[in-house]
Amino acid sequence: MRTAIPEEPLGSTGKSIPLVGFGTVEYPLNEAFKERVLHAIKLGYRHFDTAAAYPSEQPLGEALAEALRLGLVQSRDELFITSKLWLIDSYRGRVIPAYKKLSRLLDWSTLISI
């Protein structure tokens, strides 16, 4: 059963971002994490939030790839991923490498808060 989650238009892009996201902080991270993400997608979540401080970036990317393989979502365009950099990575010369690392871990394009 998919729940309707309110969305907010993103300027003139024609896209909207869900106003409610699924947080992925989990300590300790365990095998059930991916199943929880898949279940969240089945419930209607399309916005996932992570951070460099969480150990969940790579498992989140794997779960999202699995959701695509299973047909729970038709394309990456249906999903929004937000993340936060470590404070030390917010300095000149460190933001882009940190973003690239995150994109590799998630295998996804991501909105990052600095």
Side-chain angles (χ1 to χ4, degrees):
M1 178 177 149
R2 186 168 175 201
T3 304
I5 294 176
E7 296 183 345
E8 181 69 26
L10 291 173
S12 62
T13 65
K15 293 184 128 189
S16 294
I17 188 167
L19 294 176
V20 178
F22 186 85
T24 64
V25 63
E26 185 169 320
Y27 295 103
L29 191 64
N30 61 47
E31 293 299 317
F33 174 81
K34 289 181 195 176
E35 288 304 315
R36 281 191 282 284
V37 171
L38 292 173
H39 185 69
I41 291 171
K42 290 174 187 173
L43 290 174
Y45 284 93
R46 295 296 184 265
H47 180 182
F48 294 86
D49 180 69
T50 187
Y54 310 163
S56 61
E57 292 171 326
Q58 185 169 350
L60 173 61
E62 292 167 3
L64 298 177
E66 180 70 11
L68 281 165
R69 278 193 296 278
L70 293 172
L72 298 177
V73 291
Q74 301 309 305
S75 80
R76 292 173 176 234
D77 288 342
E78 294 179 43
L79 301 171
F80 287 85
I81 312 302
T82 53
S83 190
K84 283 100 37 212
L85 294 180
W86 277 103
L87 182 58
I88 196 167
D89 288 330
S90 64
Y91 294 99
R92 173 180 259 162
R94 297 194 71 154
V95 172
I96 299 301
Y99 174 78
K100 288 180 179 179
K101 177 183 176 190
L102 174 65
S103 293
R104 277 192 312 274
L105 286 172
L106 284 168
D107 190 25
W108 214 274
S109 241
T110 308
L111 171 65
I112 295 181
S113 296
I114 300 173

